[in-house]
Amino acid sequence: NNIPVDRCAEEGIVVFNTPGANANAVKELVIAGLLLSSRKVTDAIDWVSTLKGQEDIGKKVEKGKSNFSGKTLGVIGLGAIGVLVANAAMSLGMKVIGYDPFLSVKAALSLKPGVKTVTDVNDLYAASDYITIHVPYNADTKGTICEKSIAVMKDGVRILNFARGELADTAAVLAAVESGKI
């Protein structure tokens, strides 16, 4: 939906849909985003520079760490990418909740045991510390992340949208960031 297919056809350029072809790369990008949003990497670099010359640096570093154990990741869309993200998050020790009204048998069988699926996306919103979205952009998915959905989410939720910008209502997200909700 982000390629001018008609124009490409006029120019003789063949366009192929290759679902899943870059799924692993996107999964890695999402996990990197998850880590960066949690570890506050740039703040950590600044903090570490203040430790120069101090004793027991190892203990201070361990005390300053946080981890994902016990945190919940909500995955909206359990296709090629969503399944990989869900499974990777399980490997990080996270609880994972998935939502996909069109979940295929193949995708369901590819999920690691322990990934919980829900039939109401509001259950995912309410329980998740992190939410990542992996659905196509269309009239039904436009603004999935909106004022109404954000209201159901936990305070301090982190949202990762590596799919399409239009899946989130920018004004609603910015207002939620400003208020501290996100």
Side-chain angles (χ1 to χ4, degrees):
N1 62 2
N2 60 347
I3 297 173
V5 177
D6 294 341
R7 184 166 161 229
C8 289
E10 290 171 9
E11 298 290 329
I13 300 168
V14 179
V15 177
F16 291 96
N17 181 18
T18 55
N22 66 346
N24 197 55
V26 176
K27 174 214 53 175
E28 291 170 352
L29 185 61
V30 172
I31 296 301
L34 181 70
L35 294 168
L36 288 170
S37 75
S38 295
R39 300 292 185 171
K40 300 181 182 175
V41 174
T42 55
D43 292 342
I45 291 168
D46 292 341
W47 176 73
V48 167
S49 68
T50 69
L51 298 177
K52 186 175 181 179
Q54 294 188 26
E55 294 183 26
D56 295 327
I57 291 175
K59 289 181 183 177
K60 289 177 182 174
V61 169
E62 286 303 315
K63 186 178 179 185
K65 285 183 178 179
S66 63
N67 64 45
F68 299 110
S69 183
K71 297 290 184 184
T72 300
L73 173 67
V75 181
I76 301 172
L78 292 169
I81 296 167
V83 166
L84 291 175
V85 170
N87 289 343
M90 290 288 295
S91 296
L92 289 172
M94 298 183 81
K95 296 174 187 172
V96 179
I97 300 171
Y99 169 78
D100 191 329
F102 307 105
L103 182 63
S104 72
V105 172
K106 179 182 178 185
L109 292 173
S110 298
L111 289 169
K112 284 187 173 184
V115 174
K116 178 183 173 184
T117 58
V118 294
T119 57
D120 184 344
V121 72
N122 288 309
D123 294 339
L124 180 147
Y125 293 145
S128 299
D129 300 295
Y130 302 82
I131 296 172
T132 184
I133 185 166
H134 303 283
V135 298
Y137 170 68
N138 58 42
D140 293 330
T141 61
K142 180 180 180 178
T144 296
I145 305 299
C146 61
E147 190 175 332
K148 182 179 174 185
S149 62
I150 291 169
V152 180
M153 296 176 192
K154 290 182 175 184
D155 290 345
V157 66
R158 293 184 175 123
I159 299 173
L160 302 156
N161 177 8
F162 288 92
R164 296 284 186 270
E166 298 86 357
L167 297 173
D169 176 338
T170 302
V173 170
L174 289 174
V177 168
E178 188 70 30
S179 74
K181 177 73 174 185
I182 296 176

